[in-house]
Amino acid sequence: MSSNFGNNIKVTIFGQSHSEAIGVVIDGLPAGKTIDLDKIQAFMQRRAPKSTAYSTKRKESDIPRILSGLVDNVTCGAPLCAVIENTDAHSKDYSKLRDIPRPAHADFPAHIKHSGFNDIRGGGHFSARLTAPICFAGAVCMGLLEELGVYIGAHIASVGNISDLTFDPVNVKKEDFKKVCQGDMPLLDSSLNEPITKLIEEVRASGDSVGGSIECCVLGMPVGVGEPLFDGLENRISSAVFAVPAVKGIEFGAGFEVCGMRGSENNDAFYTENGNIKTKTNNHGGILGGLSSGMPILFKVAMKPTPSIYRKQNSVSISKKEDTELLIEGRHDACIVPRAVPCIEAAVAIAIYDLMINKAKGEN
């Protein structure tokens, strides 16, 4: 089923953008694990709308209510279920979209797939609103991964034509992850906060939107995690990451730059350091043959511009089978990239913990 993810743990996302609530069920977590709900809430606030001119004006508290799975904040072996109420939905903004689909949204194919019964309000089950429960599940997994010495962090790699610094592919530090969470914008170079904010505000003022990219890193992965072929580490990470709406591409390590390289340039030479085997470079992004190599796992995702823009766009009337124009109403981000950073971290955390849960249980 499309709303489920995982082989060793099962993560199920439910709800729609304007339904009474959205939520998640995580089945298969080991019992006896303390879950820091304050830390989870702080993580989810990174995804929540900011008090900025370019962020959506929809205000949701995004406070998860735990229905099952915890006793005194400790997992008890039952499925962990959390719901997040939708309290600020403006459904009337979407009434005309049942007949006139928004360009670059799922409206039209969803209409055909579900015979017109799809929930059009806010994009329904296709909405980025569903990244809130993904962030809850990811935050749970991130806390459990930290017990295993695995840490995850991401930052804005670019917005429009403005690019941030990149993680050192060989010497990333946990401190780098903390640094990017200190400002309004998750950036390695905080001096870019103002020009990026200015760019997004200018784009929004013109009724448009802008895309960008996000770089993510996983530190502390032991060697050999993953499977060959269809369950390779890249495969599982990519599958989870593409659950985040607006993701249009992913590349690991040197990514598409390898197309112009020679083997002698792309190959990462092995060496030993204090009894550990490492590579001098990290073009492979920490993954070889679908398995972790022990080097930092590095990947970058491309995020498309928010498709809901405040300009007239060409569309069609599904009922009349004729061309028409559409002016979208509602509340939307002019750039989804800043709020998507924790969503990417959450998605990769779910994928990594699903592969490592046997180690969490003390099994081989």
Side-chain angles (χ1 to χ4, degrees), residues 107-124:
D107 300 348
F108 173 63
H111 176 93
I112 300 301
K113 178 177 178 64
H114 298 296
S115 303
F117 292 105
N118 55 300
D119 186 354
I120 200 68
R121 304 168 302 166

Side-chain angles (χ1 to χ4, degrees), residues 194-332:
E194 184 175 346
I196 288 179
T197 299
K198 182 179 179 181
L199 170 62
I200 298 175
E201 290 178 344
E202 288 175 348
V203 167
R204 184 182 186 89
S206 70
D208 215 335
S209 63
V210 64
S213 60
I214 294 169
E215 184 183 36
C216 187
C217 176
V218 184
L219 279 182
M221 284 288 288
V223 179
V225 175
E227 301 294 339
L229 301 177
F230 300 115
D231 268 338
L233 197 47
E234 295 111 327
N235 309 49
R236 301 303 294 163
I237 290 173
S238 299
S239 178
V241 164
F242 272 99
V244 179
V247 171
K248 297 301 291 183
I250 187 168
E251 61 176 8
F252 292 85
F256 284 95
E257 291 183 13
V258 301
C259 300
M261 290 183 177
R262 303 291 176 91
S264 56
E265 298 171 311
N266 179 63
N267 292 353
D268 300 306
F270 288 105
Y271 76 104
T272 58
E273 181 180 271
N274 300 323
N276 297 314
I277 297 175
K278 298 183 177 182
T279 60
K280 292 182 178 296
T281 52
N282 193 14
N283 292 318
H284 66 287
I287 303 174
L288 292 168
L291 309 178
S292 55
S293 71
M295 296 298 290
I297 293 175
L298 283 166
F299 64 92
K300 186 182 291 184
V301 296
M303 309 291 296
K304 72 179 182 180
T306 312
S308 290
I309 58 177
Y310 299 100
R311 292 185 178 187
K312 284 187 177 180
Q313 299 181 78
N314 293 325
S315 187
V316 296
S317 165
I318 296 175
S319 62
K320 297 178 181 178
K321 297 294 191 296
E322 63 183 29
D323 296 343
T324 188
E325 287 186 333
L326 174 66
L327 181 61
I328 296 175
E329 299 175 2
R331 301 160 295 172
H332 312 284

Side-chain angles (χ1 to χ4, degrees), residues 166-220:
T166 60
F167 286 132
D168 183 324
V170 175
N171 297 305
V172 191
K173 300 290 189 297
K174 286 189 297 182
E175 291 71 26
D176 296 331
F177 301 163
K178 295 178 182 178
K179 179 180 178 181
V180 300
C181 297
Q182 293 175 352
D184 292 335
M185 289 275 186
L187 292 161
L188 290 174
D189 183 357
S190 59
S191 69
L192 295 176
N193 195 324
E194 184 175 346
I196 288 179
T197 299
K198 182 179 179 181
L199 170 62
I200 298 175
E201 290 178 344
E202 288 175 348
V203 167
R204 184 182 186 89
S206 70
D208 215 335
S209 63
V210 64
S213 60
I214 294 169
E215 184 183 36
C216 187
C217 176
V218 184
L219 279 182

